[in-house]
Amino acid sequence: SISRAVTPCPLGGSSYIVAHENLGAWPGLIAAAALLIDYVLTVAVSVTAGIAAITSAFPTLLHFRIELCLFAIALITWMNLRGVKESGTFFSIPTYSFIFIAVALIGVGVTRLAIGNLAVNQVTLPMQVEQGFQSLSLFIILRAFASGCTALTGVEAISNGIPAFKKPEAENAG
């Protein structure tokens, strides 16, 4: 859990600091390199996916997707340069919005299922295609679960921002 992950470093610390202090310089540098690659790929994938979602909702923006991606990256960079507290406050808005929307979606689905108002369309497929879709649907469910877990994982960000929490910092961050 997050609280167990942040408790060993009550003053905050990234993977680099933890690895460097406990394992030495080279493991710390490897952790730092992994973090840099992770951050670059996370921003690239997240911004691209977000802009793809926006342009699918508003097709008139499709021709501006590169500019929108660059604007989003500039906004993320600018917010991160403002400091841990300010960027944490700013980035908490989409996080809490995501959680609220996910809970609302599940609530509406469960409510519609309970009152019998959930429409399920049945599609008849040939046997070979149906068997292929069964394994594919399991993959899609597992992929969606992994994506959801990734979206809500913030141990690194929380452990970096422990000093920004109210006292007791490590307990509140957990």
Side-chain angles (χ1 to χ4, degrees):
S1 83
I2 291 176
S3 66
R4 280 187 268 151
V6 299
T7 304
C9 298
L11 299 177
S14 66
S15 298
Y16 165 75
I17 293 172
V18 173
H20 187 271
E21 287 179 358
N22 294 310
L23 302 173
W26 278 105
L29 291 174
I30 291 170
L35 281 174
L36 286 173
I37 293 168
D38 177 52
Y39 290 161
V40 169
L41 292 176
T42 298
V43 168
V45 170
S46 299
V47 166
T48 303
I51 298 302
I54 290 169
T55 56
S56 70
F58 304 102
T60 56
L61 296 175
L62 190 60
H63 299 297
F64 303 105
R65 63 180 178 252
I66 293 174
E67 291 84 359
L68 290 170
C69 285
L70 293 173
F71 175 75
I73 291 170
L75 180 66
I76 290 169
T77 302
W78 180 66
M79 286 311 301
N80 276 316
L81 291 174
R82 297 187 50 82
V84 174
K85 270 188 180 175
E86 292 81 6
S87 66
T89 302
F90 178 78
F91 292 128
S92 69
I93 295 167
T95 303
Y96 287 125
S97 299
F98 174 79
I99 292 169
F100 173 75
I101 291 169
V103 169
L105 180 68
I106 292 168
V108 168
V110 169
T111 302
R112 288 184 64 189
L113 182 64
I115 63 173
N117 191 18
L118 188 64
V120 178
N121 296 331
Q122 296 293 330
V123 177
T124 306
L125 298 171
M127 185 58 96
Q128 297 100 347
V129 175
E130 189 174 310
Q131 289 173 347
F133 275 126
Q134 287 174 350
S135 61
L136 182 62
S137 62
L138 177 63
F139 172 76
I140 290 171
I141 290 170
L142 292 174
R143 178 71 176 113
F145 178 76
S147 295
C149 291
T150 302
L152 292 176
T153 300
V155 175
E156 180 73 26
I158 291 172
S159 69
N160 287 342
I162 289 175
F165 287 90
K166 293 180 183 173
K167 294 185 188 252
E169 293 90 346
E171 186 177 316
N172 287 330

